[in-house]
Amino acid sequence: MRDFMAVARSVAVAEHGMAATSHPLATLAAVEMLKSGGNAIDAALAAVAVQCVADPAMTGIGGDCFALYSPKGGAPIALNGSGRTPAKIDSEKYAASGARDIPETCVETVTVPGAIDAWCKLSKDHGSKPLADVFAAAIDAAENGFLITPRVSADWAKWRRKLELHPDATAQYLPGGHAPAVGDKRVQPALAATLRRVAREGRNGFYQGQVADDIITTLRAIGGAHEADDFNEQRSDYVTPISANHHGYDVAECPPNGQGLAALMILRVLAGYDMANLSEADRIHVLAEATKAAYRTRDAYFCDPAYGQVDVERFLSDKFIGDLRAKIDMKQASPEEHWDSVIHKDTVYLTVVDRDLNAVSLINSLFGPFGSGIYAKKSGVLLHHRGWSFRAKPGHVNSLGPRKRPMHTIIPGMLMKDGRAVMPFGVMGGHYQATGHAQFISDVIDRKMDIQAAAEAPRSFATNNLLQLEKTIPEAVRNDLAARGHTLQMMDTGIGGCQAIQIDYQRGVLLGASDHRKDGLALGF
C-alpha cells in the first residue's frame, strides 16, 4: 500500500473498462466510447484522435503510429504504421556535407504520415463503431474548441521556435505571436474538416484528393520530392511481435524498424542483477550501462527490415547478452561515446482495456515537438519529421533512401504471462522509451512496485555522453554516480511519461496508471 502522506496518485480501479492517456480529454473520450458500447480499439482511436487535436506539440495526424492489440487477452498482434520516404528523394543530398544527421527541419525529414492508414486499418479489422462515432469527440474539440492544460501550455511555449519558421504554422498555433496560456481556448477548424473527410471516406480521405493534394503542394513548395503515388501507396503492415522473458513474464514489443528490441536487450542485461536489493545508485548505474550497450547495437544495426536484416535472435541470445553484461564495471562508468543518433524527443502513448479484456497498446508521434513545423493550412495537418532519424552517410543501414522507413523510437509494449496479456504499457519520450520500458518493467516485476508507483519512480537516462537525472534523485545518489565517472545533467522537466493497465484475471479487476509528468490520468468504470 502506498504512503498516503506522500505526494503521489493511487492506482485507478475498475471492472468494466479502463483507459490511461496523457491528456484528460483523451481519457474521457476513451471511457465514454467504452461506456457507449465501443470496444478497446474504438476507444483507443477516439482517444488518440482527441489528443491529436488537444496536444499538437506531442502528436498529430501528420505523424506515425504503432500498436499492439491483444484480442480478449490473447497473443498480441502488432501493427507498424510508420511512413516511408518519397520514391524520388535525393539520397545523396546531405552526403557531401560530412554531417552525421540530416537537418532537423528540412523537408526530407517528412516521410509520408502513417497514422491515419494505421487507424483506419485497426478500425476496419478490429473496431466495432463507425469512424464518424470514433472521431466525434475529436471533431467537436477541433471545431468548437478545447482548453489548454498545464503541460500542453508549457510544451507549446518551450518548443514554439519551429512554428516560427513557417508563417502558416505561426498563424495557426501562435495567434498574435503568443503561445496559449493555461485555460485559453483554441480551435482547429481545418483539422476538424479533415477528420470528417476521413470518417466519411476512410484512408482515401487522407491519402487521396484534397487533403493529400494540400500536403503535397505544401511540401513541394519548399523543395520536397513528395508525389501523389507516395501517399496513395502508403500502407501499414501487420508484423510479428518480438519478445523476451523476464523472470517468468514475456515482454512483447514491435520488431524493427522500431527500437523495442533495445528495450528487450536492456531487460535481458538487468535480469542478471538482483535489482530489488541493489542500492538506488547501483540500479541507475546498471541501467545506464545496459542502455549504452543496447543503444550502440541499435544505432549500428536497427533499420527498415526491407533494407537490412536485424538478427533479433542473436541480439537476445545468452551469449550476446552475457558479453554485454560482462563488460559492465559496477564501480566505473564506461567510456563516453557519441552515439550515431539524434537527441531524444517526445510523443504520446495510451492504453485501453475493455469489458471483454481486449487490450490495446498504442503510440502516436510527430517525433520532435511540433514535428517539422511544416503546416498544411487547408487540411490543418502539422507534419512530423520522423526522417530526422535517417543518417546522412550513404551505406549506413539507416541511411536516407527512397521508399524507406527510418529507425523508429516509438514503441508500445505488452506484458504477457502464461500466454495471456496482463499489462499493456508504454513510456513516452523518444529515444528514452526503450530505457523507460526496461526500468518500468523491472520496477513492477523485480521490485514488486504497484504500477502507479513504478510510473512515478525517479528516472534517469544515459544519452549523448551524459547521465540525465530527474531532480527527485537524492544528492547522495548523484554524488555516488559522479564518483563512478558519470557526467550528470539535472533535468528541468520530467523524463518521458508512462501509462499502463494491469489485468487481474482472478478477481476481474483492472488497475490503471498514468504518471504525473503529463496532464493525463487513468480512469475506468
Side-chain angles (χ1 to χ4, degrees), residues 263 266 287 291 295 431-440 460-462:
I266 297 170
L287 183 63
T291 293
Y295 281 40
H431 287 288
Y432 169 72
Q433 289 179 57
T435 301
H437 277 213
Q439 179 182 344
F440 178 71
S460 61
F461 183 39

Side-chain angles (χ1 to χ4, degrees), residues 15 39 41 136 142 233-234 254 261 293 367 459 471:
E15 182 179 9
N39 66 18
I41 291 290
E233 293 177 20
Q234 170 62 27
C254 293
L261 176 56
F367 195 22
R459 293 187 182 141
K471 293 179 180 178

Side-chain angles (χ1 to χ4, degrees), residues 10 22 58 91 107 181 195 245 269 282 305 319 327 336 356 402-403 416 427 432 464 477 488 517 524:
S10 298
S22 56
M58 296 293 105
S91 304
V107 72
L195 288 170
N245 190 272
V269 172
D282 281 344
K319 183 180 186 314
K327 294 176 183 176
E336 292 185 348
D356 296 318
R403 289 279 168 88
M416 309 291 294
V427 183
Y432 169 72
N464 289 330
V477 174
L488 307 184
R517 296 169 182 86

Side-chain angles (χ1 to χ4, degrees), residues 227-412:
E227 296 184 344
D229 284 349
D230 299 315
F231 276 71
N232 188 41
E233 293 177 20
Q234 170 62 27
R235 294 292 187 278
S236 302
D237 301 317
Y238 286 114
V239 291
T240 303
I242 58 175
S243 66
N245 190 272
H246 188 76
H247 296 162
Y249 292 82
D250 291 313
V251 183
E253 301 274 358
C254 293
N257 57 316
Q259 65 166 337
L261 176 56
L264 301 182
M265 292 172 67
I266 297 170
L267 269 174
R268 292 274 286 124
V269 172
L270 298 188
Y273 296 87
D274 184 1
M275 297 297 288
N277 293 310
L278 291 181
S279 68
E280 185 170 6
D282 281 344
R283 280 195 301 270
I284 293 172
H285 176 76
V286 168
L287 183 63
E289 297 305 297
T291 293
K292 293 175 190 177
Y295 281 40
R296 282 194 291 268
T297 305
R298 181 198 72 170
D299 295 325
Y301 297 104
F302 292 13
C303 64
D304 183 340
Y307 289 81
Q309 279 302 116
V310 181
D311 195 341
V312 174
E313 186 174 341
R314 177 191 169 216
F315 293 143
L316 294 177
S317 69
D318 289 343
K319 183 180 186 314
F320 194 89
I321 296 299
D323 288 344
L324 298 183
R325 196 183 296 127
K327 294 176 183 176
I328 295 177
D329 182 343
M330 290 300 295
K331 297 181 180 180
Q332 183 65 44
S334 60
E336 292 185 348
E337 295 187 31
H338 196 301
W339 303 340
D340 189 22
S341 67
V342 294
I343 61 174
H344 109 231
K345 292 290 155 186
D346 298 296
T347 184
V348 300
Y349 170 82
L350 60 91
T351 178
V352 179
V353 177
D354 65 23
R355 59 177 53 81
D356 296 318
L357 302 184
N358 297 302
V360 180
S361 183
L362 184 144
I363 196 157
N364 210 92
S365 175
L366 291 175
F367 195 22
F370 293 114
S372 65
I374 300 168
Y375 179 67
K377 65 178 181 179
K378 292 180 182 178
S379 55
V381 178
L382 187 66
L383 295 158
H384 67 171
H385 63 151
R386 183 53 63 177
W388 191 28
S389 287
F390 282 123
R391 301 283 70 82
K393 181 180 179 182
H396 191 286
V397 292
N398 190 40
S399 62
L400 186 67
R403 289 279 168 88
K404 191 173 182 181
R405 286 168 160 164
M407 191 281 291
H408 238 281
T409 58
I410 63 174
I411 49 172

